[in-house]
Structure formats: C-alpha cells, structure tokens
Amino acid sequence: MSTKFNELRSDIDELNELLKLAKRKRVQDIVSLEIRKLETELIALKEKEQSAQPAAKSEVSAPTTSAAPQKRYQIKLNGYGWDQSDKYVKVFVTLKNVQSIPKERVYCKLTDRSMELHVDDLEGKDYVLTINNLLEPIVVLTSHWKQKTDMVVVFLAKVHPNVKWSHMTGLEKKADDQHKNRFKTDDMDKKDPQESIMGLMKNMYETGDDEMKRMISKAWYEGQQKKKTDTLEL
C-alpha cells in the first residue's frame, strides 16, 4: 500500500484513541465525523490502488461472465448533530458523496419514539444510524428526510409543537440530571453545619408562634453570653 494509505490508517487509529478519551458529547460527535470522513477516503484510495495494479502474466483471458455481486458490509454510525425549530427536530448526518446515490437508497424507519436512518450501497458500503428513546414523541407520517451535499438531514415532526427538547433522548436527559444532582449533593456536603443550624432556627423563628419565638430568642441570647464568657476566660 502507498504512503498516503498508511498515513490515513495512522490518522484513523489516533482519532479512535482520542474518541475513547473524549467525554463531552459535542467533542465525541466531531471526532466521530472526522473518523468517518477519513475511513471513506481510505476505502476510496484502497479501491483506486487495487484497480491500478496490472493483471498477473499467468492470467488467461476468459469469456466475459456476469460478475458476482460484491458483498457489502454495514457501518453503524454514532455521531450526529441536531437542532430544532417549533415544528421539527432536525438530525444532521455527515456522509461524503451521499448526494450522488439514488434517493431510494436513503430511507428512514420511524416509530413515535425512535428513528433509524439507512444509507445503502454508498461506495460499496451500507450505513445505519439508530436513535432510540427519543425525549418526546414524533409524528411518523409528517417526518421526512433530505439528501444534501455530503449530508443527510432528517426532519422529525414534533407531536407537541413549540415544546423545546432539552436533550435528544430520554437516556441523555437522565444522565445529565444525575450529573447535576451529584454536584448539588456535593455542594450541600460542603456547607458549614453551623450555617445550616442558623438557617433552620431563623426559619423556625419566622414561622413559629410567640412561645417558639421567645424560646429561640432566649437560646440565642444565652448562646451569645456564653461566647462572651469563653472569650473573657481566654
């Protein structure tokens, strides 16, 4: 194989290592898209180099026969971008040269809570992107998709127009909520216990009856006197 082929292979391997280290969703999407671009370029280069190789001298011309159909393998896509309007959630999937294949090879299988994008026989390969457990339900009949230059855009029609999606899937929202709750718990653990007690007493004083207010005032006064006595003794 050529030097360029080896360079592309090395770039893909290094990007895959970076993808394992990436934690933010946006960064993972960017790295995944770049990996797919380089893989597509690598495949095209490999096919070009193989077709340019001269036939072996020992080969004997044979009568032309219909070639056996080339076996394709499926590539599962993970990275995508998304945006939304009042009526649609738009999913952006980058695939080089996808605009060059017939429309019937690009299609979606939809349910009210999932989408599965298929791109068949794009430069000898099949691609599929599956998104399950959508955050909100969609209208299957009015959802649609379009081929653009190096990209497919899927328009998922919202059952509830004008409702903004905070996340693409329920699983992403659950994970994000757990992450936020963990930080709230950590913040509470860091609070001064004395500050928490004072806040509790203040609330009791403001909401309590006259007897409760008298008892709290007395306790506070005695506490202040004790502090003064301890200071004098020192």
Side-chain angles (χ1 to χ4, degrees):
M1 292 295 176
S2 66
T3 302
K4 184 177 181 180
F5 181 94
N6 293 331
E7 287 293 326
L8 285 172
R9 183 71 268 171
S10 297
D11 289 344
I12 292 170
D13 291 341
E14 187 166 337
L15 283 171
N16 278 316
E17 291 300 318
L18 290 175
L19 183 59
K20 294 177 183 177
L21 298 174
K23 296 180 179 179
R24 294 182 60 81
K25 182 68 169 59
R26 182 174 177 82
V27 175
Q28 292 172 346
D29 290 347
I30 292 171
V31 176
S32 295
L33 290 175
E34 188 61 28
I35 289 173
R36 289 201 299 276
K37 289 179 182 178
L38 292 182
E39 286 176 339
T40 301
E41 186 177 346
L42 183 71
I43 292 164
L45 178 63
K46 182 178 179 180
E47 292 175 349
K48 181 179 179 181
E49 290 183 355
Q50 288 177 344
S51 63
Q53 291 177 355
K57 294 181 180 180
S58 59
E59 286 183 352
V60 178
S61 297
T64 304
T65 57
S66 58
Q70 185 179 4
K71 185 178 180 180
R72 304 194 306 269
Y73 62 89
Q74 188 181 82
I75 298 175
K76 292 188 179 296
L77 302 175
N78 295 312
Y80 61 88
W82 71 283
D83 196 0
Q84 61 184 313
S85 62
D86 291 340
K87 295 182 178 180
Y88 294 98
V89 170
K90 293 171 280 187
V91 181
F92 305 93
V93 183
T94 301
L95 282 172
K96 188 176 181 181
N97 297 328
V98 70
Q99 73 280 1
S100 65
I101 64 174
K103 289 184 177 180
E104 59 268 19
R105 294 189 199 166
V106 180
Y107 57 95
C108 278
K109 296 179 181 179
L110 304 173
T111 72
D112 63 338
R113 286 280 185 172
S114 70
M115 65 155 278
E116 190 174 275
L117 170 66
H118 288 262
V119 178
D120 292 344
D121 197 9
L122 173 58
E123 298 179 347
K125 291 174 178 58
D126 296 342
Y127 296 85
V128 61
L129 170 68
T130 303
I131 305 177
N132 292 316
N133 190 26
L134 295 173
L135 184 66
E136 298 285 345
I138 61 172
V139 183
V140 174
L141 291 178
T142 52
S143 297
H144 57 281
W145 50 92
K146 293 181 180 179
Q147 287 170 255
K148 296 181 179 291
T149 303
D150 296 335
M151 180 180 292
V152 178
V153 184
V154 183
F155 295 80
L156 302 176
K158 295 179 177 180
V159 167
H160 307 295
N162 301 316
V163 173
K164 294 295 183 183
W165 291 23
S166 59
H167 300 75
M168 190 65 188
T169 68
L171 186 62
E172 291 174 359
K173 184 178 187 304
K174 182 178 179 181
D176 194 27
D177 289 345
Q178 289 176 344
H179 182 70
K180 291 177 181 177
N181 289 336
R182 181 170 64 83
F183 277 101
K184 287 182 180 179
T185 302
D186 291 345
D187 289 341
M188 291 180 65
D189 291 341
K190 293 176 184 177
K191 283 186 177 179
D192 183 359
Q194 186 67 27
E195 181 182 345
S196 298
I197 294 172
M198 291 299 295
L200 178 62
M201 290 183 67
K202 181 180 178 182
N203 183 63
M204 291 172 63
Y205 183 86
E206 292 175 348
T207 59
D209 56 18
D210 292 340
E211 181 64 20
M212 178 64 73
K213 291 179 179 179
R214 186 186 68 78
M215 291 174 62
I216 292 174
S217 296
K218 180 181 178 182
W220 182 84
Y221 176 78
E222 291 176 350
Q224 293 297 315
Q225 292 301 313
K226 187 175 184 303
K227 283 184 180 180
K228 292 179 180 179
T229 301
D230 292 342
T231 301
L232 289 173
E233 290 178 353
L234 291 175

